Coordinates of all heavy atoms in Angstrom, one line a residue:
S121 N 93.8 81.5 103.2 CA 94.4 81.1 101.9 C 95.5 80.1 102.3 O 95.9 80.0 103.4 CB 95.0 82.3 101.2 OG 96.0 82.9 101.9
G122 N 95.9 79.4 101.2 CA 97.1 78.5 101.4 C 96.7 77.0 101.5 O 97.7 76.2 101.6
G123 N 95.5 76.7 101.5 CA 95.1 75.3 101.5 C 95.4 74.5 100.2 O 95.9 75.1 99.3
G124 N 95.1 73.2 100.3 CA 95.3 72.4 99.1 C 95.5 71.0 99.4 O 95.1 70.5 100.5
L125 N 96.0 70.3 98.4 CA 96.2 68.8 98.5 C 97.7 68.6 98.7 O 98.6 69.1 98.0 CB 95.7 68.1 97.3 CG 96.0 66.6 97.2 CD1 95.3 65.8 98.2 CD2 95.6 66.2 95.8
V126 N 98.1 67.8 99.7 CA 99.5 67.4 100.0 C 99.6 66.0 100.4 O 98.6 65.4 100.9 CB 100.0 68.4 101.0 CG1 99.3 68.1 102.4 CG2 101.5 68.2 101.2
Q127 N 100.7 65.4 100.1 CA 100.9 64.0 100.5 C 101.3 64.0 102.0 O 101.9 64.9 102.6 CB 102.0 63.4 99.7 CG 101.6 63.1 98.2 CD 102.7 62.4 97.5 OE1 103.8 62.3 97.9 NE2 102.4 61.9 96.3
A128 N 101.0 62.8 102.6 CA 101.4 62.6 104.0 C 102.9 62.9 104.2 O 103.7 62.5 103.4 CB 101.1 61.2 104.5
G129 N 103.2 63.6 105.3 CA 104.6 64.0 105.5 C 105.0 65.4 105.0 O 106.1 65.9 105.3
G130 N 104.1 65.9 104.1 CA 104.4 67.2 103.5 C 104.0 68.4 104.4 O 103.6 68.2 105.6
S131 N 104.1 69.5 103.9 CA 103.8 70.8 104.6 C 102.9 71.7 103.8 O 102.9 71.7 102.6 CB 105.1 71.5 104.9 OG 106.0 70.7 105.7
L132 N 102.2 72.5 104.6 CA 101.4 73.6 104.0 C 101.5 74.8 105.0 O 101.6 74.6 106.2 CB 100.0 73.2 103.8 CG 99.6 72.3 102.6 CD1 98.1 71.9 102.7 CD2 99.9 73.0 101.3
R133 N 101.3 76.0 104.5 CA 101.2 77.1 105.3 C 99.9 77.8 105.0 O 99.6 78.3 103.9 CB 102.3 78.1 105.2 CG 102.3 79.3 106.1 CD 103.4 80.2 106.0 NE 103.4 81.0 104.7 CZ 104.3 81.9 104.4 NH1 105.3 82.2 105.2 NH2 104.1 82.5 103.2
L134 N 99.0 77.9 106.0 CA 97.8 78.7 105.9 C 98.0 80.1 106.4 O 98.7 80.4 107.3 CB 96.7 78.0 106.7 CG 96.4 76.5 106.5 CD1 95.2 76.1 107.3 CD2 96.1 76.3 105.0
S135 N 97.3 81.0 105.7 CA 97.3 82.4 106.1 C 95.9 82.9 106.3 O 94.9 82.4 105.6 CB 97.9 83.3 105.0 OG 99.3 82.9 104.8
C136 N 95.7 83.8 107.2 CA 94.4 84.4 107.5 C 94.6 85.9 107.6 O 95.3 86.3 108.5 CB 93.8 83.8 108.7 SG 92.2 84.6 109.2
T137 N 94.1 86.6 106.7 CA 94.3 88.1 106.6 C 93.0 88.8 107.1 O 91.9 88.4 106.6 CB 94.7 88.5 105.2 OG1 95.9 87.9 104.9 CG2 94.9 90.0 105.2
A138 N 93.1 89.7 107.9 CA 92.0 90.4 108.5 C 91.9 91.8 107.9 O 92.9 92.5 107.5 CB 92.1 90.6 110.0
S139 N 90.6 92.3 107.8 CA 90.3 93.6 107.4 C 89.1 94.1 108.2 O 88.5 93.4 108.9 CB 90.0 93.7 105.9 OG 88.9 92.9 105.5
G140 N 88.9 95.4 108.1 CA 87.8 96.0 108.9 C 88.4 96.6 110.2 O 89.3 97.4 110.1
R141 N 87.9 96.1 111.3 CA 88.2 96.6 112.6 C 89.6 96.0 113.1 O 89.6 95.4 114.2 CB 87.1 96.4 113.6 CG 85.8 97.1 113.3 CD 84.8 96.9 114.3 NE 85.1 97.5 115.6 CZ 84.3 97.4 116.7 NH1 83.2 96.7 116.6 NH2 84.7 98.0 117.8
T142 N 90.6 96.2 112.3 CA 91.9 95.6 112.6 C 92.6 96.3 113.7 O 93.6 95.9 114.2 CB 92.8 95.5 111.4 OG1 92.9 96.8 110.8 CG2 92.2 94.6 110.3
F143 N 92.1 97.5 114.1 CA 92.7 98.2 115.2 C 92.5 97.5 116.5 O 93.2 97.7 117.5 CB 92.2 99.6 115.3 CG 90.7 99.7 115.4 CD1 90.1 99.7 116.7 CD2 89.9 99.9 114.3 CE1 88.7 99.8 116.8 CE2 88.5 100.0 114.4 CZ 87.9 99.9 115.7
R144 N 91.5 96.6 116.6 CA 91.2 95.8 117.8 C 92.3 94.8 118.0 O 92.7 94.2 117.0 CB 89.8 95.2 117.8 CG 88.7 96.1 118.0 CD 87.4 95.4 118.3 NE 87.5 94.6 119.5 CZ 86.6 93.8 120.0 NH1 85.4 93.7 119.4 NH2 86.8 93.1 121.1
R145 N 92.7 94.6 119.2 CA 93.8 93.6 119.5 C 93.2 92.2 119.7 O 93.1 91.7 120.8 CB 94.6 94.1 120.6 CG 95.3 95.4 120.3 CD 96.3 95.8 121.4 NE 97.0 97.0 121.0 CZ 98.0 97.5 121.8 NH1 98.3 97.0 122.9 NH2 98.7 98.6 121.3
Y146 N 92.8 91.6 118.6 CA 92.2 90.3 118.7 C 93.2 89.2 118.9 O 94.3 89.2 118.3 CB 91.4 89.9 117.4 CG 90.2 90.7 117.1 CD1 90.2 91.7 116.2 CD2 89.0 90.4 117.8 CE1 89.0 92.4 115.9 CE2 87.8 91.1 117.5 CZ 87.8 92.1 116.6 OH 86.7 92.8 116.3

């Protein structure tokens, strides 16, 4: 999540959330 359209010089923060076998140390 967190994508989109931004002008050059700007900032974005992407997030990636895991579910399922989250006990594994990936």
Side-chain angles (χ1 to χ4, degrees):
S121 62
L125 174 65
V126 66
Q127 292 185 346
S131 300
L132 286 173
R133 185 179 69 177
L134 304 183
S135 299
C136 175
T137 300
S139 62
R141 297 180 67 183
T142 56
F143 58 87
R144 287 195 60 181
R145 296 185 175 186
Y146 291 107

